[in-house]
Amino acid sequence: MQIFVEGLQAATYSRRLLHFLWESERIRVRAFQCFVLNCLLFLGSQVVMEYLIMPAIISLLHLSPITSQAQQPVQRVLSLLYQLLWVYPAYFISFLVSCSWYEEIASRTYALHFGKRREVKQNFAGFVLVLRDEAWRFLLTYGFLLQTHALLHLVPYVGWVLHIVSLSWYWSFFCFEYKWSLHGWTIEQRVAAVEEQWLFLAGFGLPLALTSVAFSTFVSYGIVAFLFPLFVVLATISEPRVHTPSRWLPRRLPLFNLPKRLGLLVVRALSRRIRQPGHATAQQQAVGTGAARTCAE
């Protein structure tokens, strides 16, 4: 369990984090902007709505001639309008803006820690590979998230423990993915890193996993969205260690086996929809099948 503790320590190493915040004004500015956007604006608006506006509306309804039975539907409608007109639009806007800031924070941290990355001129074939990796990454990560929630709802007694551990790997993947991408790793290499360094990454992602389940959905999102760039910095400067295999600690856990199978089912289903009779040659079908197999390996 020493490697697990090392991962947890790497996620809470505040002195190294403060060092990079001090060294780079750009990282400080982007981290502060994440705090303002996600904590002050997004979370602050929910606090104002829940503890000020809604209680005031309830008090006015009690003073009005509306019966108590009719007041509850009015409250539900107002709450729904608030979510549709503010919470969900604010969620998607803050998500898109925050993602661009996360990438900038990761790039700046990478440059300070590893040196400036050498730009590689990309041809059309490289562009196609990037698109393939991104599409396969999307299928794998959302398949893994479905697997994580299935553990909570389908496994009795210990499902919630397995859910939190799986969330730890989920958040660790996204934290380290920025560094792996800047290293030039393919999606297959990133998946292999998670499955081989699973014990370290379980410890590293545990704080974010616990935060994401400790509060309601949107409150957890606001807190995690603020903390996430700090974890990206720590992930960029961390060097995960692979544990020594034993009878109870396998060298590699096949964490993405099920997401791979689900991803292949989606790829094959889309291929059948696209390949209508008389529209695809045998050569095109072989190429599509080969691409799917390559992604799954």
Side-chain angles (χ1 to χ4, degrees):
M1 297 298 289
Q2 180 182 354
I3 302 298
F4 174 85
V5 175
E6 288 183 11
L8 186 58
Q9 289 175 340
T12 55
Y13 201 169
S14 59
R15 188 165 63 181
R16 295 192 71 186
L17 175 63
L18 292 174
H19 169 74
F20 279 86
L21 290 174
W22 178 263
E23 286 291 322
S24 175
E25 180 182 0
R26 178 57 59 185
I27 295 176
R28 289 199 307 273
V29 169
R30 292 306 187 204
F32 179 73
Q33 288 174 328
C34 286
F35 170 74
V36 172
L37 177 64
N38 296 294
C39 287
L40 296 186
L41 296 182
F42 185 75
L43 284 181
S45 64
Q46 293 190 65
V47 170
V48 170
M49 182 66 183
E50 184 173 350
Y51 294 101
L52 293 179
I53 297 179
M54 285 304 296
I57 292 175
I58 292 173
S59 299
L60 291 175
L61 289 175
H62 287 324
L63 296 175
S64 67
I66 302 176
T67 62
S68 58
Q69 292 183 346
Q71 290 178 10
Q72 292 183 353
V74 172
Q75 295 176 26
R76 286 196 292 267
V77 169
L78 291 175
S79 178
L80 178 62
L81 288 175
Y82 168 70
Q83 291 185 2
L84 292 176
L85 297 178
W86 171 252
V87 175
Y88 287 104
Y91 168 80
F92 286 113
I93 292 173
S94 65
F95 176 78
L96 293 175
V97 174
S98 296
C99 283
S100 65
W101 291 344
Y102 299 157
E103 187 171 355
E104 188 175 350
I105 289 173
S107 299
R108 183 58 184 158
T109 306
Y110 188 93
L112 289 174
H113 190 62
F114 294 100
K116 189 175 181 181
R117 183 190 179 208
R118 184 172 62 89
E119 297 293 334
V120 179
K121 189 176 181 180
Q122 193 176 76
N123 54 23
F124 180 75
F127 177 71
V128 172
L129 288 176
V130 170
L131 288 180
R132 187 211 71 172
D133 274 4
E134 286 302 311
W136 188 240
R137 169 187 172 276
F138 175 83
L139 292 174
L140 285 184
T141 52
Y142 278 90
F144 191 85
L145 188 60
L146 289 175
Q147 175 181 277
T148 298
H149 286 290
L151 292 172
L152 177 64
H153 297 289
L154 300 180
V155 179
Y157 304 114
V158 296
W160 65 275
V161 177
L162 297 177
H163 174 71
I164 292 175
V165 174
S166 189
L167 275 178
S168 300
W169 289 320
Y170 177 80
W171 286 115
S172 288
F173 177 85
F174 282 108
C175 290
F176 279 88
E177 193 185 27
Y178 289 94
K179 180 172 75 170
W180 294 336
S181 176
L182 292 169
H183 277 337
W185 289 10
T186 63
I187 184 62
E188 291 86 0
Q189 291 173 307
R190 302 173 203 176
V191 168
V194 175
E195 293 184 339
E196 292 174 359
Q197 300 164 2
W198 60 270
L199 191 56
F200 181 96
L201 297 181
F204 186 91
L206 184 60
L208 283 178
L210 292 175
T211 303
S212 65
V213 300
F215 307 96
S216 61
T217 301
F218 288 110
V219 172
S220 294
Y221 164 77
I223 298 174
V224 170
F226 161 62
L227 294 176
F228 185 75
L230 307 180
F231 278 79
V232 168
V233 174
L234 291 169
T236 304
I237 62 179
S238 297
E239 296 296 335
R241 285 205 305 135
V242 178
H243 62 281
T244 302
S246 66
R247 181 181 178 183
W248 303 106
L249 297 175
R251 185 185 69 86
R252 181 168 179 170
L253 277 184
L255 300 174
F256 284 88
N257 268 12
L258 181 58
K260 285 179 182 178
R261 293 177 182 274
L262 293 175
L264 282 176
L265 288 176
V266 173
V267 170
R268 288 166 182 165
L270 291 175
S271 298
R272 284 196 294 268
R273 294 289 298 272
I274 294 173
R275 292 200 303 262
Q276 299 296 333
H279 288 80
T281 65
Q283 182 181 5
Q284 289 173 326
Q285 294 179 10
V287 170
T289 305
R293 289 176 179 172
T294 301
C295 290
E297 293 175 355

